[in-house]
């Protein structure tokens, strides 16, 4: 349960320590772990979060998270005993990690497909990508100077010995 709390706490926030969870991330946790549904609504989640967060604060800790789960378990599992509902709620949450379900996907329709197809690039832009369409990195953006004794652009590099017999 603590691992799930820390994972959702750190999701999308590089400065997070994983010890505090705000309402937005708590709602995401409830949606993705299956706590929120027909019996537990987003309104219920917001109300109970506000009930247990410190006065003037915006986040909850792992201790408060456990208390909130215990209270939500009775509403989420109304036909189970209080103890069974708490165990079932812990099982729902344990081992889960935040996902990126519903995020914006890259489209390949219309002009976007044509503009992002690297096989149709020409000129200096074509040199930035290999045959598979993957970027070459720094080699594709800067002229790398080779110190091999040949002038830039010489195409028959390394063929002198083949063309001239050694006698």
């Amino acid at each position: 349960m603590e691992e799930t709390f820390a994972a959702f706490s750190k999701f999308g926030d590089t400065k997070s320590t994983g010890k505090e969870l705000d309402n937005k991330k708590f709602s995401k946790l409830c949606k993705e772990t299956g706590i929120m549904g027909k019996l537990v609504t987003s309104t219920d989640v917001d109300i109970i979060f506000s009930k247990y967060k410190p006065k003037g604060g915006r986040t909850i800790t792992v201790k408060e998270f456990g208390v909130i789960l215990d209270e939500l378990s009775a509403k989420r599992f109304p036909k189970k005993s209080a103890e069974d509902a708490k165990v079932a709620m812990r099982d729902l949450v344990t081992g889960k990690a935040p996902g990126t379900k519903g995020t914006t996907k890259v489209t390949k329709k219309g002009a976007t497909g044509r503009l992002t197809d690297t096989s149709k690039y020409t000129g200096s832009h074509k040199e930035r990508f290999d045959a598979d369409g993957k970027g070459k990195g720094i080699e594709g953006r800067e002229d790398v100077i080779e110190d091999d004794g040949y002038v830039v652009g010489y195409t028959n590099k390394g063929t002198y010995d083949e063309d001239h017999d050694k006698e």
Side-chain angles (χ1 to χ4, degrees):
M1 182 181 82
E2 288 82 12
E3 301 87 27
T4 303
F5 180 89
F8 277 90
S9 175
K10 292 178 182 177
F11 183 72
D13 186 5
T14 57
K15 296 176 184 172
S16 176
T17 61
K19 296 181 180 180
E20 293 182 331
L21 193 66
D22 63 8
N23 194 11
K24 179 181 173 185
K25 292 177 186 172
F26 179 68
S27 292
K28 179 178 179 62
L29 182 147
C30 290
K31 284 178 193 165
E32 292 188 11
T33 56
I35 294 171
M36 205 181 291
K38 290 182 180 180
L39 298 173
V40 178
T41 64
S42 61
T43 306
D44 296 328
V45 169
D46 289 340
I47 289 171
I48 200 162
F49 183 88
S50 296
K51 181 178 175 182
Y52 285 100
K53 73 175 179 65
K55 295 271 187 220
R58 297 180 58 223
T59 59
I60 58 170
T61 63
V62 177
K63 181 182 172 189
E64 293 153 347
F65 177 65
V67 175
I68 289 173
L69 288 183
D70 291 343
E71 189 167 324
L72 281 175
S73 64
K75 189 161 186 158
R76 175 67 171 82
F77 301 104
K79 295 182 180 174
K80 294 186 178 187
S81 68
E83 204 55 44
D84 290 342
K86 289 178 183 179
V87 170
M89 183 64 86
R90 299 273 195 260
D91 289 342
L92 264 181
V93 174
T94 303
K96 300 286 174 73
T100 54
K101 178 182 167 190
T103 57
T104 306
K105 295 184 177 42
V106 176
T107 181
K108 289 289 182 184
K109 292 182 180 177
T112 307
R114 290 192 309 274
L115 293 172
T116 58
D117 184 4
T118 57
S119 66
K120 293 183 171 78
Y121 288 178
T122 60
S124 63
H125 302 291
K126 187 174 188 172
E127 295 174 10
R128 295 182 55 207
F129 299 92
D130 62 11
D132 296 329
K134 301 275 188 223
K136 291 183 180 178
I138 195 74
E139 289 84 25
R141 292 190 301 274
E142 292 182 2
D143 290 332
V144 179
I145 299 171
E146 297 175 9
D147 191 19
D148 55 5
Y150 291 97
V151 294
V152 176
Y154 183 66
T155 56
N156 296 321
K157 190 184 301 185
T159 60
Y160 182 84
D161 291 338
E162 295 171 6
D163 294 342
H164 297 81
D165 293 332
K166 291 184 179 180
E167 296 175 11

